[in-house]
Amino acid sequence: MSDLGPIRVMALHALAYCERMFYLEEVEEIRVADERVFDGRALHESLDEEGSLVEMTIESASLGIKGKLDALRRRDGKLIPYEHKKGRARKADSGPEPWPSDRLQLTAYAMLLEEATGEPVPEGRIRYHADKQTVRVTIDDDARAGVHTAIARARELAKSTSRPPVTSNERFCVRCSLAPICLPEETRISQDPEHTATRLFPPDDERLPLHVVGHGTRTGRSGDELVVSPLEGPATREPINTIRSVAIHGHGSISAQALQMCADHGVAVHWFTGGGSYLGSFWRDDPAVQRRIRQYEALRDDGKRLSLARTLVKARIEGQLRFVLRATQGEERGENGIAESLDGIRHMLGAVDRADDPAVLLGIEGQAAALYFSCIPTLLGPQVDPRMRPKDRNRRPPRDPFNAMLGFGYGLLLREVTQSIRVVGLDGAFGFYHRPRSSAPPLALDLIELFRVPVVDMSVVAAINRQQFDADADFTTAGRQVWLSESGRKKLIEIIERRLSDVWRHPVLQYSLSYRRHIELEVRLLEKEWSGEPGLFATTRIR
């Protein structure tokens, strides 16, 4: 919102309800239409059909506000503005009365009307449809002063890059469509660990990713559907409102018309090489100016970057440790060298807090990873085809089926992390741990570390132990390089997507959500680390 531009009267209503809500909607331009918003629109449409609405759009340069009045009537020679609300009136000892935010909104409309017509507007009325009450509102000097105060406060907030604090009235948050972005309950937990949170963050995204895998497969548009046409076989059609993202693998293609529809519906399009390396994405970005300014300012601080890097590395090493412990539970660990490796990982974990330089952290992480991957072959059962059993960690290019699967899975995970970063509105080019390389944004390389083990490593080990992959049919060998074949890619995509949909319980926040939603949650919790509400980033652990 421009500092000199007219402020919407509805924005003043939001300001009176919750300053943080106003800031998110009007300054950061984040708007979410939920069921209550659609219900309100339906009410106004029904009233319009009945002829009960006579809408007027008015703007005032002197007041610096604009708005659309629901209805205007003349009673006893005086103009009376009306507002229609779907909810109930506020209950008082003297009878029903308007809510403060509704009173402010109606007064602003009355002031606009006075300026536009030159007639005094001493009174307005609000119709609350849930309890069929019409409340009269006196437009006096105190009410007008309240509007001027609200306008001044709105302009003050518009100049700031800092979000206002979460409202102290928890009941407001339960009904707010922006709760999954604001994360008010998570903020309260970070400030008071004893707080019992109300679940406001959605457990999963009902839309699903669309993968285009076959060589030469084309993706086009027909109406509101994406049409996927392989070189052989029938085309498939997917409604755009059921798609979360599109992933083009290898030599697939997508038309300009399909890209336009994806952009219009907030559907990201990602590209991968045939071997599974992540190339990049297409996405219609929102401005996100304030969010990125906060990110840039925070990550200029060496101490902040080091603190976040320690938290990240500790979470990753502990995840590796817990996975090996869980996978070898009940076994004699001393016979196969597992015990020695576990001791080494624990030692590396203890060294994280003493690291005073990112380069030292990289060394600690690398040593812990080497010890962790030395344990992987022992996590595979005796029934496993020896060709599926890795000798070491190798990549770029992978030299065995296990590492080919791991690399492909990490590419799928990088896509999900990158998309979440863009959904939240952060800049992937500015991370706190990894340095820029290839096409992968550093912030995505940072955040992927939290999910490599639970999403990819555990899924790949389990799939191999279940003998879901055929070393001949599902892989292609070229010299020393090993890649997943088309059948292998399809299998692993299904496995990783199913894992991303798996639901688990957050150990700190105490609510369940899918890994896909958890990735977005972690990005939002990271943003809180430099927005004055820290403490919850990277607190999850494998049970």
Side-chain angles (χ1 to χ4, degrees):
M1 182 181 68
S2 170
D3 181 47
L4 300 178
I7 301 168
R8 297 184 311 132
V9 172
M10 277 300 298
L12 297 181
H13 182 276
L15 179 74
Y17 187 81
C18 171
E19 286 195 351
R20 191 172 173 107
M21 178 181 179
F22 164 84
Y23 190 89
L24 291 172
E25 288 188 335
E26 303 302 320
V27 182
E28 297 195 32
E29 299 183 2
I30 303 171
R31 296 186 177 95
V32 179
D34 65 358
E35 183 179 352
R36 287 179 290 275
V37 173
F38 288 118
D39 285 346
R41 292 175 183 172
L43 169 66
H44 281 73
E45 288 172 4
S46 66
L47 292 170
D48 192 28
E49 292 171 0
E50 296 170 3
S52 301
L53 295 186
V54 183
E55 295 184 340
M56 292 181 61
T57 300
I58 316 174
E59 181 173 332
S60 167
S62 60
L63 290 172
I65 58 176
K66 65 180 179 179
K68 182 183 288 185
L69 187 63
D70 278 355
L72 179 63
R73 296 186 175 89
R74 193 174 285 277
R75 295 282 187 269
D76 300 326
K78 297 177 181 177
L79 290 174
I80 306 293
Y82 278 74
E83 268 297 297
H84 290 268
K85 299 295 181 183
K86 182 175 176 60
R88 300 177 182 275
R90 185 178 186 180
K91 304 303 179 185
D93 293 339
S94 58
E97 61 180 37
W99 295 97
S101 54
D102 296 340
R103 182 193 297 274
L104 178 72
Q105 180 183 6
L106 186 62
T107 302
Y109 283 133
M111 294 168 67
L112 282 171
L113 191 58
E114 287 177 330
E115 184 173 302
T117 64
E119 297 184 35
V121 179
E123 179 186 300
R125 297 179 187 179
I126 302 174
R127 177 65 173 175
Y128 290 98
H129 287 260
D131 51 9
K132 299 179 180 179
Q133 296 281 353
T134 299
V135 180
R136 295 189 174 194
V137 178
T138 300
I139 311 299
D140 55 19
D141 290 343
D142 286 343
R144 291 184 176 87
V147 172
H148 286 295
T149 299
I151 293 171
R153 178 58 177 160
R155 295 201 177 282
E156 180 183 359
L157 289 173
K159 296 176 182 177
S160 174
T161 59
S162 299
R163 288 177 181 170
V166 168
T167 178
S168 59
N169 191 333
E170 297 178 24
R171 291 178 298 174
F172 287 179
C173 303
V174 175
R175 299 180 56 83
C176 181
S177 62
L178 291 172
I181 295 164
C182 173
L183 298 184
E185 289 293 89
E186 290 76 5
T187 296
R188 294 180 181 112
I189 289 176
S190 69
Q191 295 169 350
D192 177 14
E194 300 302 318
H195 175 76
T196 301
T198 300
R199 168 60 176 272
L200 300 178
F201 194 77
D204 201 1
D205 190 336
E206 294 181 356
R207 301 171 302 162
L208 295 174
L210 173 65
H211 289 269
V212 180
V213 178
H215 178 79
T217 300
R218 293 176 289 107
T219 304
R221 173 184 181 176
S222 177
D224 290 331
E225 296 179 320
L226 289 181
V227 182
V228 181
S229 305
L231 290 178
E232 297 181 1
T236 58
R237 308 170 76 94
E238 300 290 344
I240 191 65
N241 60 5
T242 67
I243 299 172
R244 184 173 187 271
S245 64
V246 177
I248 309 292
H249 296 265
H251 296 286
S253 64
I254 183 169
S255 71
Q257 293 81 4
L259 279 174
Q260 178 68 53
M261 184 167 67
C262 288
D264 292 341
H265 288 79
V267 175
V269 181
H270 305 271
W271 282 268
F272 295 83
T273 66
S277 296
Y278 183 70
L279 292 174
S281 63
F282 168 79
W283 177 282
R284 178 177 286 172
D285 280 322
D286 62 41
V289 175
Q290 291 78 16
R291 279 163 276 170
R292 294 184 179 185
I293 288 175
R294 290 194 296 265
Q295 179 186 0
Y296 301 154
E297 289 180 345
L299 297 186
R300 291 171 58 191
D301 185 322
D302 292 342
K304 171 64 73 175
R305 291 201 309 274
L306 180 60
S307 175
L308 289 172
R310 283 176 180 152
T311 300
L312 181 76
V313 171
K314 184 179 293 186
R316 183 188 181 186
I317 295 176
E318 193 166 335
Q320 294 170 334
L321 177 63
R322 291 191 179 204
F323 174 39
V324 176
L325 286 170
R326 192 172 84 168
T328 59
Q329 189 173 11
E331 298 180 10
E332 181 55 54
R333 297 178 179 131
E335 296 180 356
N336 49 23
I338 291 288
E340 185 178 350
S341 294
L342 289 174
D343 287 343
I345 294 173
R346 291 189 183 96
H347 178 72
M348 292 298 105
L349 185 61
V352 170
D353 286 333
R354 298 189 297 272
D356 57 3
D357 185 273
V360 175
L361 271 178
L362 283 168
I364 292 171
E365 181 197 358
Q367 293 179 64
L371 292 165
Y372 164 70
F373 282 108
S374 73
C375 299
I376 293 294
T378 64
L379 307 186
L380 302 175
Q383 78 282 5
V384 170
D385 184 332
R387 292 175 294 176
M388 299 294 296
R389 195 181 299 274
K391 295 181 180 179
D392 56 16
R393 175 73 177 115
N394 55 79
R395 53 194 180 276
R396 293 195 292 272
R399 297 191 297 274
D400 57 68
F402 181 91
N403 280 284
M405 292 173 68
L406 219 57
F408 190 89
Y410 289 158
L412 295 177
L413 180 58
L414 184 62
R415 165 216 57 173
E416 199 68 38
V417 172
T418 300
Q419 180 158 329
S420 291
I421 289 170
R422 299 183 78 167
V423 165
V424 174
L426 301 185
D427 190 334
F430 287 82
F432 54 87
Y433 183 45
H434 288 88
R435 294 189 176 186
R437 66 171 178 79
S438 67
S439 61
L443 187 61
L445 293 176
D446 291 346
L447 289 165
I448 197 177
E449 302 295 354
L450 297 173
F451 299 98
R452 289 183 189 270
V453 173
V455 173
V456 180
D457 297 9
M458 294 174 69
S459 298
V460 168
V461 168
I464 292 176
N465 277 329
R466 288 193 295 263
Q467 298 178 284
Q468 291 180 262
F469 285 79
D470 185 298
D472 294 314
D474 294 328
F475 299 88
T476 300
T477 302
R480 297 183 64 195
Q481 303 175 16
V482 179
W483 311 103
L484 283 156
S485 66
E486 184 173 320
S487 65
R489 291 199 298 272
K490 288 180 177 179
K491 284 182 181 180
L492 192 53
I493 286 170
E494 182 180 354
I495 287 169
I496 296 299
E497 293 296 352
R498 189 185 307 122
R499 181 60 170 172
L500 286 167
S501 296
D502 282 349
V503 174
W504 66 286
R505 190 176 182 85
H506 194 290
V508 177
L509 300 175
Q510 292 299 304
Y511 56 64
S512 299
L513 73 170
S514 69
Y515 278 103
R516 181 175 286 109
R517 289 298 289 181
H518 180 210
I519 292 172
E520 180 187 333
L521 177 64
E522 282 296 341
V523 181
R524 295 195 183 281
L525 293 177
L526 172 63
E527 186 186 18
K528 283 181 175 288
E529 290 294 317
W530 55 67
S531 300
E533 300 163 353
L536 293 178
F537 171 64
T539 56
T540 60
R541 296 293 186 270
I542 297 172
R543 291 190 296 272

